[in-house]
Each structure stands twice: as C-alpha cells, then as structure tokens.
Amino acid sequence: MVSSSNQREACMPSPGHEPTLHHSLAAVSKRIPRGVVCLISALAYHEIGTQLPSVVWLAINQRSRPLVTEGLPVKIIRFSGRALTEGVQEHEIEGVSVRMTNPARPSPIALSSGNKVGVDVALEALRDAWRKRKVTMADLDRFAKIDRVTNVMRPYLEMLT
C-alpha cells in the first residue's frame, strides 16, 4: 500500500515548476517512469482529435509485475516488444521526463486495442493528424505493421489520400 504522503508527493510538480495542463502525465510518469503515455492521452498532448481523457492511458511491458496505481488517474495497457518501444519520444513536463508515443502511433494502437478506445476515436485521430500534417503515410504504415493492423488500416489510409 502506498502511504498518503507518497501519493501527495507523486501529484506535486517538481521543485521550480508550476502545474500545467498536462500535470497528470507528469504525476503518473514520476511514479511509473518506464511507462509510455499512449492512446487518448498522447492524442490530447499532441493536440489531435477532440477527446479529453479523464485518466492517463499508459502502456507498460506485458511481463511487468502488477503496479500499485492507487491514487493515480491511470488506465494500464500492456504491450510487448516493438509495440512498446517504437515511436516513443521523451518530453519534459514540469521537470519530469515523460515517455510518450509520437503522433503517428495512437491510431494504429487504438485499432489494435479493439474495444478499449473505439474505432471512431481512432479514425477521428487519424483524420485530424493527417489534416494537421502531424503524421506521414510512411509512419502510419510502419506503425500499422508493428501493431499488426496493416489490413485493418489500409482502407482508412486510402481514404486519406
């Protein structure tokens, strides 16, 4: 069990930093540094789509032991291999290093995650990212292969061009 003082400490910004709009990403990353912010949380950070997550969507290694997430607004997704490591960028938020998927990753992940997010959210993100030129067709195709959703994504990628 996590003590209440540890919970408060995880939710406080690093010294010398003010809380920002993305405070929850920093708080979760501070407690779970090997996690990768993904899906709706990454889309919101990259200003793609209209979804505003109520929790931080975080990918962790499929073989990781269960995490203590009490007091954290987090939804855990488990991945392995390249699905967890490819397309990951580091951002500094409130003095905390936050590992996060790049703009081209969330749509293929959402399509591969089935009912967790929904196809409508994945398609909205795909259209918006393409319209805002935050993704390339090559990146989308590469990540679709990694997430094993190439056949599922092909019609949607053809729709964009």
Side-chain angles (χ1 to χ4, degrees):
M1 183 163 223
V2 178
S3 72
S4 60
S5 64
N6 286 346
Q7 287 178 1
R8 280 192 304 276
E9 183 180 308
C11 293
M12 298 297 293
S14 295
H17 294 87
E18 292 294 318
T20 66
L21 177 64
H22 304 294
H23 176 72
S24 59
L25 301 179
V28 168
S29 293
K30 194 173 188 179
R31 283 260 308 269
I32 309 171
R34 291 187 185 199
V36 178
V37 174
C38 64
L39 293 170
I40 299 172
S41 298
L43 291 171
Y45 181 82
H46 294 299
E47 298 178 347
I48 297 172
T50 59
Q51 302 295 314
L52 295 174
S54 59
V55 296
V56 174
W57 289 74
L58 194 73
I60 64 169
N61 192 305
Q62 188 149 6
R63 296 181 184 185
S64 292
R65 59 186 166 87
L67 300 171
V68 176
T69 59
E70 186 179 321
L72 285 178
V74 64
K75 170 77 173 154
I76 300 292
I77 306 286
R78 292 182 177 269
F79 291 133
S80 62
R82 291 177 62 204
L84 181 63
T85 59
E86 290 289 321
V88 175
Q89 304 170 329
E90 289 206 19
H91 299 271
E92 186 174 308
I93 301 172
E94 298 176 11
V96 176
S97 178
V98 176
R99 299 174 68 223
M100 185 179 318
T101 56
N102 74 22
R105 278 307 308 276
S107 292
I109 293 173
L111 289 171
S112 71
S113 296
N115 297 342
K116 288 184 175 99
V117 174
V119 174
D120 55 332
V121 173
L123 296 181
E124 176 196 29
L126 187 61
R127 279 190 223 103
D128 195 39
W130 181 256
R131 186 177 52 78
K132 292 179 178 177
R133 298 182 181 192
K134 293 189 177 210
V135 299
T136 65
M137 197 58 67
D139 281 341
L140 291 170
D141 186 52
R142 180 170 69 110
F143 295 128
K145 287 176 184 164
I146 289 168
D147 294 321
R148 298 183 301 238
V149 291
T150 304
N151 291 336
V152 173
M153 270 196 79
R154 185 170 291 126
Y156 302 118
L157 295 179
E158 289 172 359
M159 169 192 74
L160 293 177
T161 57

